[in-house]
């Protein structure tokens, strides 16, 4: 079991399959984003080798992310390989959903359990503006395909941005009245490149909740207020689904964090919002043996930062969000 010096068991690995994306969400990356050449990304066999290694250290939960994970060539085979890895108990994915109408069933057949699909508005024009060219209908079709393929419970992620989609909070939350989905509102976090935009246009979880309650009345607490992963869950009165708030900025959940992240270029990052990283791909390619790599991982996990330093103005500047994966 990999433990950090604060006694947290770190057993949840988020693997970014690529930094490339088929959208350019305004809060995530610039329109003229430059992506890494494929040779710099972990190759399929390298992803599986590192997954096996992490599994031997007690990592049992994997989430695939990106960039956009579904545009990775061989994504279905990669999912199949990861889910067949001894010790891995669950494999999920965070995706923009655009390709799910084609991929949901094959991914499910390959062992994917669940998906989180990002959708910040139901309005086609606003969706286009937020993603710079996306078509919201394709995401809605993707959500339907995910449900049909049994990738459930479907969780929907929304980032709320002042001047773009504040008024979409209510219709998004309203989806949970009739669907057993979990609609999660994520506070926008600052990363390199767009920090001014991210800091000034951020809408807090408290503001979002206020808007929802102004329309639907008081929300009911789910799970006695216990966190579900990083989300605090609520429900509309008589709602079928849940509403989650991920208040990473205003009320961080660092004390219960069990995660590490492997970027698409094979670098282990111990906190989304801290720059500390350990390169695993270079030593793997240089012929390091599994014991050496294991020692690198255990040392890095031991030194996992306690939490982020946004309140003190410590903003991670070495990567944008799409290069880490969320
Ligand atoms: N492309 C996939 C997607 O959009 O779901 C996976 C990668 S994306 C980086 C993962 C999640 O991070 C998405 O839900 C996205 O909305 C969220 N995200 C991106 N930039 C963010 C930011 N600056 N602050 C908070 N969440 C952000
Ligand atoms: Fe792409 Fe996801 Fe970032 Fe949007 S949030 S640009 S879909 S990686």
């Amino acid at each position: 079991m990999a433990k950090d010096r604060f006694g947290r068991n770190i057993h949840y690995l988020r693997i970014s399959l690529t930094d490339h994306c088929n959208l350019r969400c305004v809060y995530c990356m610039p329109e003229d984003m430059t992506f890494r050449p494929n040779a710099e990304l972990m190759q399929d066999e390298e992803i599986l080798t590192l997954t096996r290694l992490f599994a031997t250290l007690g990592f049992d939960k994997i989430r695939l992310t990106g960039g956009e994970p579904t545009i990775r060539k061989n994504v279905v085979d990669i999912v199949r390989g990861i889910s067949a890895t001894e010790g891995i108990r669950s494999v999920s994915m965070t995706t923009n959903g655009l390709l799910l109408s084609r991929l949901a069933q094959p991914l499910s057949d390959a062992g994917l359990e669940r998906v989180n699909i990002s959708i910040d508005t139901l309005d086609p024009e606003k969706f286009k503006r937020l993603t710079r060219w996306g078509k919201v209908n394709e995401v809605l079709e993707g959500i339907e395909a995910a449900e049909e393929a049994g990738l459930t419970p479907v969780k929907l992620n929304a980032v709320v941005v002042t001047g773009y989609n504040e008024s979409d909070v209510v219709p998004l939350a309203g989806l949970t009245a009739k669907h057993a989905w979990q609609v999660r509102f994520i506070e926008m976090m600052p990363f390199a490149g767009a920090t001014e935009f991210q800091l000034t246009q951020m809408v807090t979880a408290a503001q979002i909740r206020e808007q929802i309650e102004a329309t639907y009345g008081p929300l009911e607490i789910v799970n006695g207020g216990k966190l579900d992963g990083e989300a605090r869950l609520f429900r509309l009165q008589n709602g079928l689904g849940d509403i989650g708030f991920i208040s990473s900025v205003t009320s961080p959940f660092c004390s219960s964090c069990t995660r590490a992240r492997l970027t698409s270029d094979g670098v282990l990052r111990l906190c989304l919002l801290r720059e500390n990283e350990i390169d695993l791909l270079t030593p793997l390619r240089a012929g390091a043996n599994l014991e050496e790599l294991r020692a690198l991982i255990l040392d890095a996990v031991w030194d996992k930062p306690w939490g982020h330093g946004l309140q003190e103005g410590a903003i991670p500047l070495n990567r944008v969000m799409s290069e880490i994966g969320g």
Side-chain angles (χ1 to χ4, degrees), residues 88-155:
I88 299 301
R89 288 190 302 118
S90 103
V91 187
S92 57
M93 181 181 278
T94 303
T95 167
N96 61 29
L98 289 182
L99 299 180
L100 280 182
S101 23
R102 177 161 56 80
L103 283 175
Q105 192 60 54
L107 285 170
S108 169
D109 294 343
L112 191 72
E113 270 186 43
R114 280 187 314 275
V115 279
N116 287 19
I117 302 173
S118 302
I119 181 162
D120 305 319
T121 169
L122 301 174
D123 179 294
E125 278 314 308
K126 288 195 212 164
F127 187 81
K128 193 169 169 194
R129 183 163 173 248
L130 264 164
T131 59
R132 296 206 175 91
W133 56 67
K135 293 188 180 139
V136 74
N137 268 353
E138 293 177 3
V139 184
L140 295 170
E141 285 162 22
I143 295 171
E144 205 174 300
E147 277 219 296
E148 277 168 18
L151 297 171
T152 52
V154 168
K155 297 186 181 179

Side-chain angles (χ1 to χ4, degrees), residues 15-33:
I15 304 176
S16 170
L17 295 185
T18 176
D19 62 330
H20 299 219
C21 191
N22 46 0
L23 293 178
R24 299 285 185 279
C25 303
V26 290
Y27 48 73
C28 182
M29 60 167 87
E31 187 162 9
D32 60 351
M33 180 75 187

Side-chain angles (χ1 to χ4, degrees), residues 167-316:
S167 58
D168 298 76
V169 163
V170 168
L172 284 169
L175 292 173
T176 64
K178 295 216 172 85
H179 299 278
W181 297 339
Q182 193 183 101
V183 175
R184 299 137 41 100
F185 295 100
I186 306 174
E187 286 179 343
M188 182 160 53
M189 293 172 275
F191 293 88
T195 50
E196 201 184 320
F197 174 84
Q198 288 154 334
L199 290 170
T200 54
Q201 318 288 99
M202 194 269 259
V203 182
T204 66
Q207 290 166 328
I208 297 168
R209 181 173 172 182
E210 216 170 278
Q211 262 206 67
I212 298 171
E213 292 194 321
T215 303
Y216 289 107
L219 296 177
E220 291 170 4
I221 295 179
V222 172
N223 279 344
K226 230 177 105 220
L227 284 176
D228 174 60
E230 66 272 63
R232 212 170 287 287
L233 297 185
F234 296 83
R235 191 165 274 206
L236 299 180
Q237 285 159 34
N238 303 319
L240 286 183
D242 295 329
I243 297 172
F245 296 103
I246 303 182
S247 47
S248 327
V249 179
T250 58
S251 177
F253 42 88
C254 307
S255 61
S256 60
C257 183
T258 58
R259 317 163 175 186
R261 293 172 165 84
L262 188 59
T263 64
S264 55
D265 54 327
V267 167
L268 183 62
R269 183 161 172 127
L270 277 307
C271 171
L272 176 62
L273 290 156
R274 292 279 187 188
E275 292 181 354
N276 317 39
E277 296 181 338
I278 305 288
D279 183 1
L280 297 178
L281 186 58
T282 306
L284 176 67
R285 288 186 177 173
N289 64 38
L290 295 185
E291 266 326 304
E292 288 164 334
L293 290 167
R294 220 174 260 137
L296 278 178
I297 297 171
L298 286 175
D299 283 352
V301 166
W302 182 254
D303 282 334
K304 176 174 162 74
W306 166 249
H308 70 64
L310 292 182
Q311 266 90 353
E312 300 88 59
I315 293 173

